[in-house]
Amino acid sequence: MNLLLEGLVNVFQWEVLLFLTFGTILGIIIGSLPGLTSTMGVALMLPLTFGMEPVPGILLLIGVYFGSVYGGSLTAILINTPGTPASAATVMDGYPLTQKGQAHKALTISTLSCAIGGIISVLVLILVAPQLASFALKFSAPESFALALFGLSIVSSIAGKSIVKGLMAGTLGLLIATIGLDPIGGFPRFTFGMPEMTTGIGFIPIMIGLFALSEAFKSMEDIFVEKRVNVVIEKVKLKWVEFKGLIGTILRSAGIGTFTGMIPGAGADIAAFVAYNEAKRFAKNKDEFGKGDMRGVAAPEAAGNSVTGGAMIPLLTLGIPGDAVTAVLLGALMVQGLQPGPMLFESNGPIVYTLFVGMLLANVLLLVFGLLGIRFFTKVLLIPKTILTPLIIMLCVVGAYSLGNNYFDVVVMFIAGVVGYFFKKFEIPASPVILGLILGPMMESNLRRALVMSQGDLSIFYTRPITVVLLSIAVITLFTPLFTKKIMKNS
Amino acid sequence: MKKYMKYSAFAIVAVLLLAIAGCGKDNSDGAGGKDEFPKKAITLISPTSAGGGTDAAARALAADVEKHLGQPVGVVNKPGGSGSVGMTEGANANPDGYTATMVIAELTMLEHMGVSSLNQDQMKAVAMINLDPAALTVPADAPYDTLDGFIAYAKAHPGELNVGNAGSGSIWHVAAESLAKNAGIELNHVPFEGAAPAVTALVGGHVDAVTVSPAEVKTHLDAGTLKTLAVMSDKRSDIIPDVPTFTEAGLESETIATWRGITVPKDTPDEIVAILEDAFLKAAKEENFQKFMSSNGLGIELKSSKEFTSFMDENYNYYKEMFAELGLSGK
């Protein structure tokens, strides 16, 4: 407790506050631009921190990290363009809300959920990090395979009207995911001799194309018909009663997010989809999901942002980076002479607790900037389509290019955009494709790695408790919608 | 409002004038001789994505080399295809010295893996900067404390020891295969996506050993959860000076290591290569860069253009044999 107070004092110094604020704002901007991911933002700012003191330097990076996870949902909600993979799930209900003219409300929910989710995860980090860390270590290949399979089973709940179409889209994602070097054998698959294809088709260009570019194509259809503003912005604010109804969803999603963040190899994108699925599972009235349900925004947002605190748990307590962003942070900590691991808390207690307070503050800053900014963010919708559409297309191209600085990604993005346009015409949902792309490689490599480890013995999948639990949930999730439909028909 | 416009107009004119003045200075300074290189910003291609060790080293080095070249050096990430995408682009760039590439050990392996036809002959070496050898690391509570002990255990339990590596055909996979070959033991190789997940699995007790660089396990060695038995190099690692080399531990072994260096396209004039070589080697010797590398656990190994060229050729021939022998060759 004394350490926390000390941390509080250390954080409230103008230099620290300045860099944290700067980092958070920069993060929000980076996150909202498609193609610029959290990892890239943090990595780009990294050299800047070399010459800084440990606390402001690390908090600058943490600000960028937290801010970018939040920033991605702004564009997801307003213009159907997920800025980062973490907000791919937010699109499903966020954009429909905007189309209904409730952008203001959707952004408020997103900001509140993000901040609350983030704060909860940091509190978990402060209070029970060491106890949870050992649990994270129990995750190995069979557990990760089971988690990926569970994630994929969500297809049945995000499929929308037609489960068959959803499964088709999910399968397409899985098929695209097979392109590239075989994760275990290292043999090139479906690469047609092109070196760009050996690492596989990235899901970010596809995500930008499927969601953003296809939406831009669609709005071109009526660009000359409808000269005026595309949607009316109703000044509907979020009511207290409505928020109260969301608290359960937010808390549950924050738990899911923190837990997912802890697991090596699983990040905000997976957490958001899982939380969305659970929100739907627990909802009494499921009809509004996919058409603009507030819970459909709160769940992925709270989960996505609470991954941040969760991911810090194995990083700080064990020195294990769970994903790419925390790997960069690991480097940043080491440059500052802070060696993450069990000894960190003892040798550098004051600094660690200062970082904790800084993380809490970063989430408060998100809340403040988010709520203050909503009025300005929604102005995007006032831009006439004749200007907004070309702007979005430009953003798509720049975003896809900046990802790896090559045109191949731009071509992939355009193809995905055209495919996405026809998806819209034939009412095929796009989210399952992304889900398949994210989880396909994780599932394949872990399934095969598990079998390599067990030397081909299948018992590895039913003798490990976590694996069994996750696999059972996956089966239940996959078949629930089928049964509920049947039961409803019968009754 | 008008006032502000006036101010900004002033500002713009001032900036433009400065820029023009700057250009003028450049031209007059570099009017004669070969000394004029570099006249403009230099691009350094990093064939990995932002955030990895290669990228971090490239960025730190770029910041330090600027002083010596007198021009900004910008790092551009071109990840993909085990580094082949970025390195191919670097090999095909204009041979004027303005595009350099941070090459990685894969440059001498890609052709044997069947991923790409790229090899070191399509580049001209500038300088080697870093080298990190493979090291055999096991959990701290493993029943053996020496390389001999490990080998004896493996002989008693053939094929039972799971050894994690950074992916099939990766340098750390080659290291484990080479250990198995030299010691005459049978190991079960488990590929992961990079070294970090393999180390995580070792800490979690899901594999029995890893053959990655000391830098990648340093945190856990300090924490006492892992122990390194021996280093696959002809000399001990600076990070863990107490750990013997394979030869010292009683098993003859080649040096198997990951390395990073700077190259330019093969038609770049030698004068320009010399300027770059001088600048990069100077920057790498400075305290700033040394501190960055040591705090990240990365070993510094400097080689001149000439030494780097023959080093890469040796590597190329060794991996050619190795890959054919292990049946890893993609062709």
Side-chain angles (χ1 to χ4, degrees), chain A residues 39-40 43-44 47 50 137-140 181 183-188 195-196 198-199 264 318-320 328 331 334-335 339-340 342 401 404-406 445 449 452-453 455 464, chain B residues 50-51 55-56 59-60 76-82 84-85 114-115 159-160 162 168 188-193 196 200 203-204 206-207 218-220 222-223 292 295-296 330:
Chain A
T39 316
M40 230 188 265
L44 291 180
F50 290 163
L137 276 181
K138 292 213 169 74
F139 262 76
S140 180
L181 282 185
I184 298 299
F187 195 81
E196 289 92 347
T198 45
T199 8
L318 300 170
I320 288 174
V328 183
M334 307 235 294
V335 167
Q339 180 85 264
Y401 181 77
N405 294 308
N406 71 57
S445 64
R449 187 173 305 125
V452 170
M453 281 162 73
Q455 312 206 342
R464 302 167 71 108
Chain B
D55 174 64
R59 283 177 198 280
V76 179
N77 298 98
K78 304 256 180 188
S82 309
S84 63
V85 172
V115 169
E160 277 178 34
N162 283 334
S168 283
N188 189 31
H189 301 278
V190 185
F192 288 83
E193 275 109 31
T200 304
V203 175
H206 307 294
V207 294
K218 176 82 171 32
T219 329
H220 308 289
D222 290 348
F292 167 83
S295 61
N296 271 281

Side-chain angles (χ1 to χ4, degrees), chain B residues 12-33:
Chain B
I12 291 169
V13 170
V15 168
L16 281 178
L17 278 177
L18 268 177
I20 292 168
C23 291
K25 192 160 166 280
D26 267 4
N27 289 341
S28 58
D29 265 7

Side-chain angles (χ1 to χ4, degrees), chain B:
Chain B
M1 193 63 208
K2 252 192 181 157
K3 216 164 111 192
Y4 285 115
M5 283 187 60
K6 232 188 219 166
Y7 278 133
S8 49
F10 258 123
I12 291 169
V13 170
V15 168
L16 281 178
L17 278 177
L18 268 177
I20 292 168
C23 291
K25 192 160 166 280
D26 267 4
N27 289 341
S28 58
D29 265 7
K34 279 150 192 158
D35 292 354
E36 62 185 293
F37 177 84
K39 276 187 289 192
K40 54 174 187 182
I42 291 172
T43 303
L44 181 61
I45 297 177
S46 162
T48 61
S49 54
T54 305
D55 174 64
R59 283 177 198 280
L61 191 59
D64 288 337
V65 83
E66 284 180 357
K67 297 192 286 289
H68 301 287
L69 289 170
Q71 290 289 349
V73 178
V75 175
V76 179
N77 298 98
K78 304 256 180 188
S82 309
S84 63
V85 172
M87 291 194 289
T88 305
E89 190 157 328
N92 294 336
N94 250 342
D96 55 7
Y98 288 106
T99 310
T101 312
M102 184 90 168
V103 292
I104 50 180
E106 276 75 4
L107 177 61
T108 58
M109 300 164 65
L110 287 167
E111 199 187 326
H112 316 314
M113 286 159 71
V115 169
S116 159
S117 57
L118 183 75
N119 63 37
Q120 76 284 0
D121 289 341
Q122 292 157 40
M123 302 275 219
K124 202 173 241 177
V126 173
M128 189 167 106
I129 303 297
N130 142 275
L131 182 135
D132 281 307
L136 179 67
T137 304
V138 297
D141 55 6
Y144 26 75
D145 285 314
T146 58
L147 183 61
D148 277 343
F150 178 84
I151 294 171
Y153 186 90
K155 278 190 174 146
H157 305 86
E160 277 178 34
L161 286 175
N162 283 334
V163 181
N165 64 56
S168 283
S170 71
I171 183 80
W172 303 144
H173 179 199
V174 175
E177 293 274 16
S178 145
L179 161 66
K181 188 186 74 167
N182 290 335
I185 50 177
E186 201 184 320
L187 300 171
N188 189 31
H189 301 278
V190 185
F192 288 83
E193 275 109 31
V199 174
T200 304
L202 182 65
V203 175
H206 307 294
V207 294
D208 302 302
V210 293
T211 43
V212 303
S213 75
E216 284 153 332
V217 290
K218 176 82 171 32
T219 329
H220 308 289
L221 297 179
D222 290 348
T225 43
L226 300 181
K227 61 186 177 196
T228 297
L229 302 181
V231 180
M232 261 186 175
S233 164
D234 48 8
K235 59 173 194 258
R236 293 189 175 200
S237 159
D238 295 338
I239 307 172
I240 39 172
D242 299 339
V243 176
T245 66
F246 264 57
T247 315
E248 286 168 357
L251 182 70
E252 280 303 315
S253 170
E254 306 84 352
T255 295
I256 295 195
T258 179
W259 44 264
R260 302 177 176 101
I262 307 289
T263 63
V264 286
K266 73 162 186 281
D267 295 327
T268 312
D270 287 333
E271 308 90 74
I272 289 178
V273 174
I275 296 172
L276 288 172
E277 178 186 2
D278 187 48
F280 274 104
L281 286 177
K282 263 187 195 157
K285 279 178 196 151
E286 283 171 355
E287 200 201 331
N288 218 4
F289 186 68
Q290 300 264 341
K291 195 184 145 217
F292 167 83
M293 295 294 274
S294 69
S295 61
N296 271 281
L298 296 165
I300 292 191
E301 177 116 354
L302 303 180
K303 280 193 199 304
S304 68
S305 166
K306 221 173 136 193
E307 294 164 341
F308 190 24
T309 309
S310 51
F311 174 81
M312 286 198 287
D313 288 339
E314 279 166 29
N315 251 266
Y316 177 83
N317 291 327
Y318 174 66
Y319 291 131
K320 188 176 183 177
E321 234 173 74
M322 192 77 199
F323 273 63
E325 209 169 299
L326 301 179
L328 290 170
S329 188
K331 275 182 285 190

Side-chain angles (χ1 to χ4, degrees), chain A residues 77 93-94 97-98 102-111 236 297:
Chain A
I77 291 170
D93 280 270
L97 273 171
T98 298
Q102 299 180 352
H104 193 287
K105 196 192 261 179
L107 286 179
T108 314
I109 296 171
S110 140
T111 311
V236 230
V297 176

